[in-house]
Every structure is written in structure tokens, then in C-alpha cells.
Amino acid sequence: MIEGINEKIRKRFKNLKLSNSNCAKICKHASVAWCRSILISLALITPLPAKNTSVQAPLTIVAGSKPSLLLYVDLQTNDLWSSSFEDPVLQKALEMKWSQVLFTMKHVHIKQASEENIEATATLLRCTYNFYRESSCGTLPSSINLYTIPSHITTEGPCQPSKDNVDYLDLSTLRKLLLWAYMLVHGRYLKILVVVKHCEENAKFARFEEPRVIRDVHRINSRQFPCQIAGSSIL
């Protein structure tokens, strides 16, 4: 369980008597593994555009109102599998296992997850918020590009952004993961500060469940979350 491993490492890392260079490397390794497993899980749940869909008509905008924004993701996986502190053989095996899943995340509109994946998505949001709140070790992969497009100019299918209609979000990897997970649960774009506040309030008042292994969630599209095999394949 990656979350549990990170929690133990984090406590040890904060203890100056127990902390050392080897502990720092392990902490960085665990954080990258946790980030990678969440990213793959998000990609597995994100609905893909149907093939050969016709172009949608632009939405009608009421005079004086602001068009809503749609969130898109474009993954660049060049640095996702490049790590100086991991076994190259294991890295290559992971890349071969998950690269095709991540490759589908090219200019994809992030919508609310399908009804059959609602429970899994809610669990993943909690996991992502825990990661956002607890992770503090090392630099995470900068593979995620998120951008918004006004809804009245978008079409179904892969979006080809242009400078005139795209606003790339300048956020940390942690915040991008959290925003992505929130979108899959709620299906509407909000500013990241609002998303963070929403998660904080849920953690405080709704008492988020204790972190649990994502293996307890239903399989998605006949494939398991990568977090299921966190103890072996991800780490």
C-alpha cells in the first residue's frame, strides 16, 4: 500500500535522528511511485471520446454571460519513466505495461466518470487529496499538461488547441492531479483553490475514510488499478 509506505517514510524523514541520505532517497522513490500510480489510475478512469463522432454545434451563449470552461489533459510521458534512483529494468517493464494507457491521454476532455466508476473515482479523489496533503519529498514528474477551453468553441473528439482559445494552467503536479480527480467526480471545472477548499472541508467535516488500498475498488474496464500492485510493480 503506497499511502501507508509514504506515511511511515514521512514520519521517519521528519525525525532528524533517524533521517539520512538513504532515507531521503527512499522517500523520493515512494513519492514518485505514488504519483505514478495515481496518474495511471486517473488515465484508466477518464472517459475517452467516441471514435468517428460528429462535430457538436457550438453552445449558445446568453448575452452578458460568461461561457463555461472545459478542462483538457495532454500527457507528455518523457520524464515519467526516467528516474536515476530506480532499477532501469523495472522502469522499462513498467513503461511497457502502462505506456499505451497513458498514450490515450492526448488532448482529452476530462468529463465526469461513468456511473459504473463513481465509487472508484470517489476513492481515487480521496487518495489524490491524501497525496496532495502528505507528499513532500523530491521533485515529481512534470508530465501533465492541463488547459481550459471555452465551451462554446469546443467539439467532440480530440481537441487541437490554438493560442487563441487555450489557457494552460500553471499548477504544480500535485494540484494538477487533484484537479483532474475532482473533475472526474463532479464533472465541472472550478479554480484549484476552490477544489482544495472543497477537499479540506470534506476532510474536516465529512471525515474522509482512512486511506485504503485501491484494490478494494471494482475493476475498471476489466483492468485493475495500478495501485493494486503497488508493493511490487510500482515500487
Side-chain angles (χ1 to χ4, degrees):
M1 180 178 179
I2 294 183
E3 288 179 274
I5 293 172
N6 272 271
E7 176 64 18
K8 291 180 180 179
I9 293 174
R10 186 175 62 84
K11 290 180 178 179
R12 183 180 179 89
F13 191 66
K14 287 185 175 181
N15 188 328
L16 296 179
K17 293 182 179 180
L18 298 177
S19 179
N20 53 47
S21 59
N22 288 333
C23 183
K25 291 179 181 178
I26 295 173
C27 182
K28 183 177 181 180
H29 184 186
S31 291
V32 171
W34 195 359
C35 173
R36 188 184 290 154
S37 65
I38 290 175
L39 179 58
I40 294 171
S41 298
L42 289 169
L44 285 171
I45 292 181
T46 301
L48 295 175
K51 295 181 179 179
N52 301 323
T53 52
S54 58
V55 176
Q56 278 188 330
L59 299 178
T60 302
I61 305 299
V62 178
S65 66
K66 294 183 179 180
S68 60
L69 295 176
L70 304 180
L71 185 66
Y72 283 76
V73 59
D74 178 30
L75 286 187
Q76 306 295 330
T77 60
N78 295 336
D79 66 336
L80 187 61
W81 310 110
S82 58
S83 173
S84 59
F85 51 85
E86 289 184 302
D87 181 358
V89 176
L90 177 58
Q91 286 185 48
K92 190 63 178 179
L94 289 173
E95 182 177 2
M96 292 179 64
K97 182 179 181 66
W98 298 112
S99 60
Q100 190 58 42
V101 171
L102 298 177
F103 184 74
T104 61
M105 295 292 103
K106 295 291 185 182
H107 305 295
V108 174
H109 175 203
I110 303 177
K111 302 179 180 179
Q112 188 174 32
S114 61
E115 185 175 351
E116 64 182 4
N117 289 329
I118 289 299
E119 181 184 352
T121 309
T123 300
L124 185 55
L125 176 57
R126 289 192 292 269
C127 176
T128 307
Y129 176 68
N130 289 333
F131 182 52
Y132 168 81
R133 184 179 57 186
E134 303 293 347
S135 181
S136 60
C137 298
T139 301
L140 299 174
S142 56
S143 307
I144 310 170
N145 293 317
L146 295 182
Y147 58 89
T148 59
I149 295 180
S151 59
H152 67 284
I153 63 173
T154 191
T155 62
E156 281 295 329
C159 174
Q160 297 301 325
S162 68
K163 295 181 179 180
D164 297 331
N165 56 34
V166 167
D167 181 19
Y168 280 90
L169 304 184
D170 185 15
L171 302 173
S172 67
T173 297
L174 289 170
R175 291 193 164 197
K176 287 178 180 178
L177 290 171
L178 186 61
L179 180 57
W180 187 349
Y182 177 88
M183 283 289 299
L184 290 175
V185 173
H186 297 281
R188 63 182 184 276
Y189 172 75
L190 293 175
K191 296 289 186 180
I192 185 59
L193 293 179
V194 179
V195 172
V196 172
K197 184 177 181 180
H198 167 84
C199 293
E200 289 175 346
E201 290 178 348
N202 274 277
K204 181 178 180 180
F205 299 109
R207 294 184 179 181
F208 274 10
E209 298 177 16
E210 288 298 316
R212 52 180 176 158
V213 187
I214 295 184
R215 65 167 176 258
D216 294 332
V217 182
H218 298 299
R219 292 186 179 184
I220 299 173
N221 297 327
S222 300
R223 291 174 292 186
Q224 297 171 316
F225 274 118
C227 301
Q228 286 186 277
I229 50 174
S232 57
S233 297
I234 296 298
L235 284 175

